[in-house]
Amino acid sequence: MAEDPVLGDHIVDGSGMTVYRFKPDTAWPMASTCEGDCVAKWPVVAPVDRANTKGLIEKNHLVLDRPDGKKQQTVNCWPVYTFTGDKKAGDTNGQGVGGTWYAVAPDGKLITAP
C-alpha cells in the first residue's frame, strides 16, 4: 500500500507500482474485459501470496483464471492491473485515463479523485 497526496491510500504491487481497475470489468461474475493491446498497455497483476499482502482484507484476495491463460490477482473480486505509462514506483499516470482506469483503494473500490 502507498499514500499519495491526491489519491490517498492506494494499492501498489510488490515493486511499488500503482495498481488500477478497469471500469468495464465485472466483479461478479469475476471477469476482465482488457485483452490484446489493452493487456499490453495495462499488464495484469500476477497472483500475490496472501502472506505478502499488506493492508488488504484477506477475503478480498482472490485469483482470476483469464481466458488467455494468465492468472490475475483480484481485489474484492475486481481484476487489477499496472500501467506501462508508470515508469517508477509512486507514479500514478494511469489515474483517470479514458475515464475508465482508476487507482484502487485498500477495500477494492475505485479512487476517482483527480
Side-chain angles (χ1 to χ4, degrees):
M1 188 154 22
E3 186 176 327
D4 180 84
V6 176
L7 302 179
D9 288 340
H10 63 283
I11 298 172
V12 295
D13 71 4
S15 301
M17 302 303 284
T18 301
V19 169
Y20 299 93
R21 271 186 38 201
F22 187 41
K23 283 180 84 173
D25 288 350
T26 58
W28 195 256
M30 262 191 324
S32 167
T33 58
C34 181
E35 300 174 355
D37 290 344
C38 178
V39 171
K41 192 172 185 178
W42 300 89
V44 302
V45 174
V48 178
D49 187 305
R50 288 177 196 220
N52 294 331
T53 61
K54 296 176 188 157
L56 289 182
I57 299 168
E58 186 171 333
K59 72 175 185 155
N60 288 348
H61 183 283
L62 297 169
V63 174
L64 170 65
D65 290 318
R66 296 172 50 89
D68 60 12
K70 295 179 182 177
K71 294 197 177 289
Q72 182 172 13
Q73 183 65 55
T74 69
V75 177
N76 200 20
C77 297
W78 291 98
V80 292
Y81 310 79
T82 55
F83 179 49
T84 57
D86 288 344
K87 301 303 181 193
K88 65 185 184 317
D91 282 354
T92 58
N93 298 318
Q95 179 65 11
V97 168
T100 57
W101 290 96
Y102 293 94
V104 183
D107 62 2
K109 293 182 179 172
L110 295 177
I111 299 172
T112 56

